[in-house]
Coordinates of all heavy atoms in Angstrom, one line a residue:
M1 N 0.9 -1.3 0.0 CA 0.0 0.0 0.0 C 0.9 1.4 0.0 O 0.6 2.2 -0.7 CB -0.9 0.0 1.2 CG -2.0 -1.0 1.2 SD -3.0 -0.9 2.7 CE -4.2 -2.2 2.4
A2 N 2.0 1.2 0.8 CA 2.9 2.4 0.8 C 3.6 2.6 -0.5 O 3.7 3.8 -1.0 CB 4.0 2.0 1.9
K3 N 3.9 1.5 -1.2 CA 4.6 1.6 -2.5 C 3.6 2.2 -3.5 O 4.1 3.1 -4.3 CB 5.1 0.2 -2.9 CG 6.0 0.1 -4.2 CD 5.3 0.1 -5.4 CE 6.3 0.3 -6.6 NZ 5.7 0.2 -7.9
L4 N 2.4 1.7 -3.5 CA 1.3 2.3 -4.4 C 1.2 3.8 -4.2 O 1.1 4.6 -5.1 CB 0.1 1.5 -4.2 CG -1.2 2.1 -5.0 CD1 -0.9 1.8 -6.5 CD2 -2.5 1.3 -4.6
W5 N 1.0 4.1 -2.9 CA 0.7 5.5 -2.5 C 1.9 6.4 -2.9 O 1.7 7.5 -3.6 CB 0.5 5.7 -1.0 CG 0.0 7.0 -0.8 CD1 -1.2 7.5 -0.7 CD2 0.8 8.1 -0.2 NE1 -1.3 8.8 -0.3 CE2 0.0 9.2 0.0 CE3 2.1 8.2 0.0 CZ2 0.5 10.5 0.4 CZ3 2.8 9.4 0.4 CH2 1.9 10.6 0.6
A6 N 3.1 6.0 -2.5 CA 4.3 6.8 -2.7 C 4.6 7.0 -4.3 O 5.0 8.1 -4.7 CB 5.5 6.2 -2.0
S7 N 4.5 5.9 -5.0 CA 4.7 6.1 -6.4 C 3.7 6.9 -7.1 O 4.0 7.5 -8.1 CB 5.0 4.7 -7.0 OG 3.9 3.8 -6.8
D8 N 2.4 6.7 -6.7 CA 1.3 7.5 -7.3 C 1.5 8.9 -7.0 O 1.3 9.9 -7.8 CB 0.0 7.1 -6.8 CG -0.7 6.2 -7.7 OD1 -0.3 6.0 -8.8 OD2 -1.9 5.6 -7.3
A9 N 2.2 9.3 -5.8 CA 2.4 10.7 -5.5 C 3.4 11.4 -6.4 O 3.4 12.6 -6.6 CB 3.0 10.8 -4.0
T10 N 4.3 10.5 -7.0 CA 5.3 11.0 -8.0 C 4.6 11.5 -9.3 O 5.4 12.1 -10.1 CB 6.4 10.0 -8.3 OG1 5.9 9.0 -8.9 CG2 7.2 9.6 -7.0
K11 N 3.3 11.3 -9.4 CA 2.7 11.8 -10.6 C 2.7 13.4 -10.6 O 2.6 14.0 -11.7 CB 1.1 11.4 -10.5 CG 0.9 9.9 -11.0 CD -0.6 9.7 -11.0 CE -0.9 8.2 -11.4 NZ -2.4 8.0 -11.2
A12 N 2.9 13.8 -9.5 CA 2.9 15.4 -9.3 C 4.0 16.0 -10.2 O 3.9 17.2 -10.6 CB 3.0 15.7 -7.9
I13 N 5.1 15.2 -10.4 CA 6.2 15.7 -11.1 C 5.8 16.1 -12.5 O 6.4 16.9 -13.2 CB 7.4 14.8 -11.1 CG1 8.7 15.6 -11.4 CG2 7.2 13.6 -12.0 CD1 10.0 14.9 -11.0
D14 N 4.7 15.4 -13.0 CA 4.3 15.8 -14.4 C 3.7 17.2 -14.5 O 4.0 17.9 -15.4 CB 3.2 14.8 -14.9 CG 2.6 15.0 -16.3 OD1 3.6 14.6 -17.1 OD2 1.7 15.5 -16.5
D15 N 3.1 17.7 -13.4 CA 2.6 19.0 -13.3 C 3.7 20.0 -13.2 O 3.8 21.0 -13.8 CB 1.6 19.2 -12.2 CG 0.2 18.4 -12.4 OD1 -0.1 18.3 -13.6 OD2 -0.4 18.2 -11.5
L16 N 4.7 19.5 -12.4 CA 6.0 20.3 -12.1 C 6.7 20.5 -13.5 O 7.2 21.7 -13.8 CB 6.8 19.6 -11.1 CG 8.0 20.4 -10.6 CD1 7.6 21.6 -9.9 CD2 8.8 19.6 -9.6
L17 N 6.7 19.5 -14.3 CA 7.5 19.6 -15.6 C 6.7 20.6 -16.5 O 7.4 21.4 -17.2 CB 7.5 18.2 -16.2 CG 8.3 17.9 -17.6 CD1 8.9 16.7 -17.6 CD2 7.4 18.2 -18.7
Q18 N 5.4 20.6 -16.4 CA 4.6 21.6 -17.2 C 5.0 23.1 -16.9 O 5.1 23.9 -17.7 CB 3.1 21.4 -16.8 CG 2.2 22.1 -17.7 CD 2.2 21.6 -19.2 OE1 2.5 20.4 -19.4 NE2 1.6 22.4 -20.1
V19 N 5.3 23.3 -15.6 CA 5.7 24.7 -15.2 C 7.0 25.1 -16.0 O 7.1 26.3 -16.2 CB 5.9 24.7 -13.7 CG1 6.5 26.0 -13.2 CG2 4.6 24.5 -12.9
F20 N 7.9 24.2 -16.2 CA 9.2 24.4 -16.9 C 9.0 24.5 -18.3 O 9.9 24.9 -19.0 CB 10.1 23.3 -16.4 CG 10.7 23.5 -15.1 CD1 10.1 23.0 -13.9 CD2 11.9 24.1 -14.9 CE1 10.6 23.1 -12.7 CE2 12.5 24.3 -13.6 CZ 11.9 23.8 -12.6
G21 N 7.8 24.2 -18.7 CA 7.6 24.3 -20.3 C 8.6 23.4 -21.0 O 8.9 22.3 -20.6
G22 N 9.0 23.9 -22.1 CA 10.0 23.1 -23.0 C 11.2 22.7 -22.3 O 11.8 21.5 -22.7
Y23 N 11.7 23.4 -21.3 CA 13.0 23.0 -20.6 C 12.7 21.8 -19.9 O 13.7 20.9 -19.7 CB 13.2 24.2 -19.6 CG 13.8 25.4 -20.3 CD1 13.0 26.5 -20.2 CD2 15.0 25.5 -20.9 CE1 13.4 27.8 -20.8 CE2 15.6 26.6 -21.6 CZ 14.7 27.8 -21.5 OH 15.2 28.8 -22.1
G24 N 11.4 21.4 -19.5 CA 11.2 20.2 -18.8 C 11.5 19.0 -19.7 O 11.5 17.9 -19.2
Y25 N 11.6 19.2 -21.0 CA 11.8 18.1 -21.9 C 13.1 18.0 -22.5 O 13.4 17.2 -23.4 CB 10.7 18.2 -23.0 CG 10.2 16.9 -23.5 CD1 9.5 16.0 -22.7 CD2 10.4 16.5 -24.9 CE1 9.1 14.8 -23.1 CE2 10.1 15.2 -25.3 CZ 9.5 14.4 -24.5 OH 9.0 13.1 -24.9
I26 N 14.0 18.9 -22.0 CA 15.4 19.0 -22.5 C 16.3 18.1 -21.7 O 16.3 18.6 -20.4 CB 15.9 20.4 -22.8 CG1 15.0 20.9 -24.0 CG2 17.3 20.4 -23.3 CD1 15.2 22.5 -24.2
R27 N 17.0 17.2 -22.0 CA 17.7 16.4 -21.1 C 18.8 17.1 -20.2 O 19.2 16.7 -19.3 CB 18.4 15.2 -21.9 CG 17.6 14.2 -22.3 CD 18.3 12.9 -22.9 NE 17.3 12.1 -23.6 CZ 17.6 11.3 -24.5 NH1 18.8 11.3 -25.0 NH2 16.7 10.5 -24.9
D28 N 19.2 18.3 -20.8 CA 20.4 19.0 -20.0 C 19.8 19.5 -18.7 O 20.6 20.0 -17.8 CB 20.7 20.2 -20.8 CG 21.5 19.8 -22.2 OD1 21.7 18.6 -22.3 OD2 21.8 20.7 -23.0
Y29 N 18.4 19.6 -18.4 CA 17.9 20.3 -17.3 C 17.5 19.2 -16.2 O 17.0 18.3 -16.6 CB 16.7 21.2 -17.7 CG 17.2 22.3 -18.5 CD1 17.2 22.2 -19.9 CD2 17.6 23.5 -17.9 CE1 17.7 23.4 -20.6 CE2 18.0 24.6 -18.7 CZ 18.2 24.4 -20.0 OH 18.5 25.6 -20.7
P30 N 17.8 19.6 -15.0 CA 17.5 18.5 -13.9 C 16.1 18.1 -13.8 O 15.8 17.1 -13.5 CB 17.9 19.3 -12.6 CG 19.0 20.4 -13.0 CD 18.4 20.8 -14.5
I31 N 15.1 19.0 -14.2 CA 13.7 18.6 -14.2 C 13.5 17.5 -15.1 O 12.6 16.5 -14.7 CB 12.8 19.8 -14.4 CG1 11.4 19.5 -14.4 CG2 13.1 20.5 -15.7 CD1 10.8 19.0 -13.0
A32 N 14.1 17.4 -16.2 CA 13.9 16.4 -17.2 C 14.3 15.1 -16.6 O 13.7 14.0 -16.8 CB 14.5 16.7 -18.6
R33 N 15.5 15.2 -16.1 CA 16.1 14.0 -15.4 C 15.1 13.5 -14.3 O 15.0 12.3 -14.0 CB 17.5 14.3 -14.8 CG 18.2 13.2 -14.2 CD 18.7 12.2 -15.3 NE 18.6 10.8 -14.8 CZ 19.0 9.8 -15.4 NH1 19.8 9.9 -16.5 NH2 18.8 8.6 -15.0
A34 N 14.6 14.4 -13.5 CA 13.8 14.0 -12.3 C 12.5 13.3 -12.8 O 12.1 12.4 -12.2 CB 13.5 15.3 -11.5
Y35 N 12.0 13.9 -14.0 CA 10.8 13.3 -14.5 C 11.1 11.8 -15.0 O 10.4 10.9 -14.7 CB 10.3 14.0 -15.7 CG 9.0 13.4 -16.4 CD1 7.8 13.5 -15.8 CD2 9.2 12.6 -17.5 CE1 6.7 12.9 -16.3 CE2 8.0 12.0 -18.1 CZ 6.8 12.2 -17.5 OH 5.8 11.5 -18.0
A36 N 12.2 11.7 -15.7 CA 12.7 10.3 -16.2 C 12.9 9.3 -15.1 O 12.5 8.1 -15.1 CB 13.9 10.4 -17.0
D37 N 13.5 9.9 -14.0 CA 13.8 9.0 -12.8 C 12.4 8.7 -12.0 O 12.3 7.5 -11.4 CB 14.7 9.7 -11.8 CG 16.1 9.7 -12.4 OD1 16.4 9.0 -13.4 OD2 17.0 10.5 -11.8
A38 N 11.5 9.5 -11.9 CA 10.3 9.4 -11.2 C 9.3 8.4 -11.9 O 8.6 7.6 -11.3 CB 9.6 10.6 -10.9
R39 N 9.2 8.4 -13.2 CA 8.2 7.8 -13.9 C 8.2 6.2 -13.8 O 7.1 5.6 -13.6 CB 8.3 8.1 -15.5 CG 7.2 7.4 -16.3 CD 5.8 8.0 -15.8 NE 4.7 7.3 -16.6 CZ 4.3 6.2 -16.1 NH1 4.7 5.5 -15.2 NH2 3.2 5.7 -16.8
P40 N 9.4 5.6 -13.6 CA 9.4 4.0 -13.5 C 9.0 3.6 -12.2 O 8.7 2.4 -12.0 CB 10.8 3.6 -13.8 CG 11.6 4.8 -13.8 CD 10.8 6.0 -14.0
N41 N 8.8 4.5 -11.2 CA 8.4 4.0 -9.9 C 7.0 3.4 -9.9 O 6.8 2.5 -9.1 CB 8.2 5.3 -8.9 CG 9.6 5.8 -8.4 OD1 10.4 5.0 -7.8 ND2 10.0 7.0 -8.5
R42 N 6.2 3.7 -10.9 CA 5.0 3.0 -11.0 C 5.0 1.7 -11.8 O 4.0 1.1 -12.1 CB 3.8 4.0 -11.6 CG 3.4 5.1 -10.7 CD 2.5 6.0 -11.3 NE 3.0 7.0 -12.0 CZ 2.5 7.6 -13.2 NH1 1.4 7.2 -13.6 NH2 3.1 8.6 -13.7
I43 N 6.2 1.4 -12.3 CA 6.3 0.2 -13.1 C 7.2 -0.8 -12.3 O 6.8 -2.0 -12.2 CB 7.0 0.5 -14.4 CG1 6.2 1.4 -15.2 CG2 7.4 -0.8 -15.2 CD1 6.8 2.0 -16.6
Y44 N 8.4 -0.4 -11.7 CA 9.2 -1.5 -11.3 C 8.9 -1.8 -9.9 O 8.0 -1.2 -9.2 CB 10.7 -1.2 -11.3 CG 11.3 0.1 -10.9 CD1 10.9 0.7 -9.7 CD2 12.3 0.8 -11.6 CE1 11.4 1.9 -9.3 CE2 12.8 1.9 -11.2 CZ 12.4 2.6 -10.0 OH 13.0 3.7 -9.6
A45 N 9.4 -2.8 -9.3 CA 9.1 -3.6 -8.1 C 7.7 -3.8 -8.0 O 6.9 -3.9 -7.0 CB 9.4 -2.6 -6.9
G46 N 7.1 -4.2 -9.2 CA 5.7 -4.6 -9.3 C 4.9 -3.4 -9.8 O 5.0 -2.3 -9.1
T47 N 4.2 -3.5 -11.0 CA 3.4 -2.3 -11.5 C 2.3 -2.0 -10.4 O 1.9 -2.8 -9.7 CB 2.9 -2.6 -12.8 OG1 1.9 -3.6 -12.8 CG2 4.0 -3.0 -13.8
N48 N 1.8 -0.7 -10.6 CA 0.8 -0.2 -9.5 C -0.5 -1.0 -9.8 O -1.2 -1.2 -8.9 CB 0.6 1.3 -9.7 CG 1.7 2.0 -9.0 OD1 2.7 1.4 -8.7 ND2 1.5 3.2 -8.7
E49 N -0.7 -1.4 -11.0 CA -1.9 -2.3 -11.3 C -1.9 -3.6 -10.6 O -2.8 -4.1 -10.0 CB -2.1 -2.5 -12.9 CG -2.4 -1.4 -13.6 CD -1.3 -0.4 -13.8 OE1 -0.2 -0.7 -13.7 OE2 -1.6 0.9 -14.1
I50 N -0.6 -4.1 -10.6 CA -0.5 -5.4 -9.8 C -0.5 -5.2 -8.2 O -1.0 -6.0 -7.5 CB 0.9 -6.1 -10.2 CG1 0.7 -6.4 -11.7 CG2 1.1 -7.3 -9.3 CD1 -0.4 -7.3 -12.1
M51 N 0.0 -4.1 -7.9 CA -0.1 -3.6 -6.4 C -1.6 -3.6 -6.0 O -2.0 -4.1 -5.0 CB 0.5 -2.2 -6.2 CG 2.0 -2.2 -6.3 SD 2.8 -3.0 -5.1 CE 3.8 -4.2 -6.1
K52 N -2.4 -3.0 -6.8 CA -3.9 -3.0 -6.5 C -4.5 -4.4 -6.4 O -5.3 -4.6 -5.6 CB -4.6 -2.1 -7.6 CG -4.4 -0.7 -7.5 CD -5.0 0.2 -8.5 CE -4.6 1.6 -8.6 NZ -5.0 2.3 -9.7
E53 N -4.0 -5.2 -7.3 CA -4.6 -6.7 -7.3 C -4.2 -7.3 -6.0 O -4.9 -7.9 -5.3 CB -4.0 -7.5 -8.4 CG -4.8 -7.4 -9.7 CD -4.5 -8.5 -10.7 OE1 -4.1 -9.6 -10.2 OE2 -4.8 -8.3 -11.9
I54 N -2.8 -7.1 -5.6 CA -2.3 -7.7 -4.3 C -3.1 -7.1 -3.0 O -3.5 -7.9 -2.2 CB -0.8 -7.4 -4.2 CG1 -0.1 -8.2 -5.2 CG2 -0.4 -7.9 -2.8 CD1 1.3 -7.9 -5.5
I55 N -3.3 -5.8 -3.1 CA -4.0 -5.1 -1.9 C -5.4 -5.7 -1.9 O -6.0 -6.0 -0.8 CB -4.0 -3.6 -2.0 CG1 -2.6 -3.1 -1.9 CG2 -4.9 -3.0 -1.1 CD1 -2.4 -1.7 -2.4
A56 N -6.1 -5.8 -3.1 CA -7.5 -6.3 -3.1 C -7.7 -7.6 -2.5 O -8.8 -7.9 -1.9 CB -8.0 -6.2 -4.6
R57 N -6.7 -8.5 -2.7 CA -6.8 -9.8 -2.2 C -6.9 -9.8 -0.6 O -7.5 -10.8 0.0 CB -5.6 -10.7 -2.6 CG -5.7 -11.2 -4.0 CD -4.4 -12.0 -4.2 NE -4.0 -11.9 -5.7 CZ -2.7 -11.9 -6.1 NH1 -1.8 -12.2 -5.3 NH2 -2.5 -11.6 -7.4
S58 N -6.3 -8.8 0.0 CA -6.3 -8.8 1.4 C -7.6 -8.0 2.0 O -7.7 -8.0 3.2 CB -5.1 -8.1 1.9 OG -5.1 -6.7 1.7
L59 N -8.4 -7.6 1.1 CA -9.6 -6.8 1.7 C -10.8 -7.7 1.9 O -10.9 -8.8 1.2 CB -10.0 -5.7 0.7 CG -8.9 -4.7 0.4 CD1 -9.4 -3.6 -0.6 CD2 -8.6 -3.9 1.7
Ligands
FAD1 C1 14.2 -0.1 -14.5 C2 13.6 -1.4 -14.0 C3 14.3 -2.2 -13.2 C4 13.7 -3.5 -12.7 N1 14.4 -4.2 -11.9 C5 13.9 -5.4 -11.5 C6 14.8 -6.2 -10.7 O1 15.8 -5.9 -10.3 N2 14.2 -7.5 -10.4 C7 13.0 -7.9 -10.9 O2 12.6 -9.0 -10.6 N3 12.2 -7.1 -11.7 C8 12.7 -5.9 -12.1 N4 12.0 -5.1 -12.9 C9 10.7 -5.6 -13.4 C10 9.6 -4.9 -12.7 O3 9.6 -5.0 -11.3 C11 8.0 -5.2 -13.1 O4 7.7 -6.3 -12.6 C12 8.0 -5.4 -14.6 O5 8.6 -4.2 -15.2 C13 6.5 -5.5 -14.9 O6 6.4 -6.3 -16.1 P1 6.5 -5.9 -17.6 O7 7.3 -4.6 -17.8 O8 6.7 -7.1 -18.4 O9 5.0 -5.4 -17.8 P2 3.7 -6.3 -18.2 O10 3.5 -7.3 -17.2 O11 3.9 -6.6 -19.6 O12 2.6 -5.1 -18.0 C14 2.3 -4.2 -19.0 C15 1.2 -3.3 -18.4 O13 0.0 -4.1 -18.2 C16 -0.4 -4.0 -16.9 N5 -0.9 -5.3 -16.3 C17 -0.3 -6.5 -16.4 N6 -1.0 -7.5 -15.9 C18 -2.2 -6.8 -15.5 C19 -3.2 -7.3 -14.7 N7 -3.4 -8.6 -14.3 N8 -4.2 -6.4 -14.3 C20 -4.1 -5.1 -14.7 N9 -3.1 -4.6 -15.4 C21 -2.1 -5.5 -15.7 C22 0.8 -3.6 -16.1 O14 0.4 -3.0 -14.8 C23 1.5 -2.7 -17.1 O15 0.9 -1.4 -17.0 C24 12.5 -3.8 -13.3 C25 11.8 -3.0 -14.2 C26 12.3 -1.9 -14.6 C27 11.6 -0.9 -15.5

C-alpha cells in the first residue's frame, strides 16, 4: 500500500514539468532527469496495477 501511494504521489512531477515548459523536456535540465527518474516508480518492483490486485486480495 505504501509503494502504491508513494509512487502515485510522484505523478505530481508531471505538473511540475509543465511549469518548466519546453525546458522540462530537454535532457540538459535537472527537471527532465527528475521526470525520467520518477516515472518508472509506478512500473518497477511490481506495477501499480499489480499492487492494486495484491491489496484487493487482502480486503
Ligand atoms: C528499471 C527497471 C528495473 C527493474 N528491476 C527489476 C529487478 O531488479 N528485479 C525484478 O525481478 N524485476 C525488475 N523489474 C521488473 C519490474 O519489477 C516489473 O515487474 C516489470 O517491469 C513489469 O512487467 P512488464 O514490464 O513485463 O509489464 P507487463 O507485465 O507486460 O505489464 C504491462 C502493463 O500491463 C499491466 N498489467 C499486467 N498485468 C495486469 C493485470 N493482471 N491487471 C491489470 N493490469 C495489468 C501492467 O500494470 C503494465 O501497466 C524492473 C523493471 C524496470 C523498468
Side-chain angles (χ1 to χ4, degrees):
M1 287 177 183
K3 193 272 178 181
L4 176 65
W5 187 88
S7 56
D8 262 352
T10 64
K11 282 181 183 174
I13 200 161
D14 186 71
D15 290 336
L16 188 58
L17 187 145
Q18 189 72 18
V19 173
F20 282 82
Y23 291 111
Y25 212 66
I26 296 171
R27 285 187 189 153
D28 293 356
Y29 292 89
I31 180 64
R33 182 73 219 189
Y35 178 80
D37 287 346
R39 187 58 185 86
N41 281 307
R42 286 183 274 147
I43 298 171
Y44 53 41
T47 66
N48 282 17
E49 288 74 23
I50 298 304
M51 292 293 117
K52 286 176 188 170
E53 274 200 23
I54 293 168
I55 294 164
R57 278 182 221 150
S58 67
L59 298 177

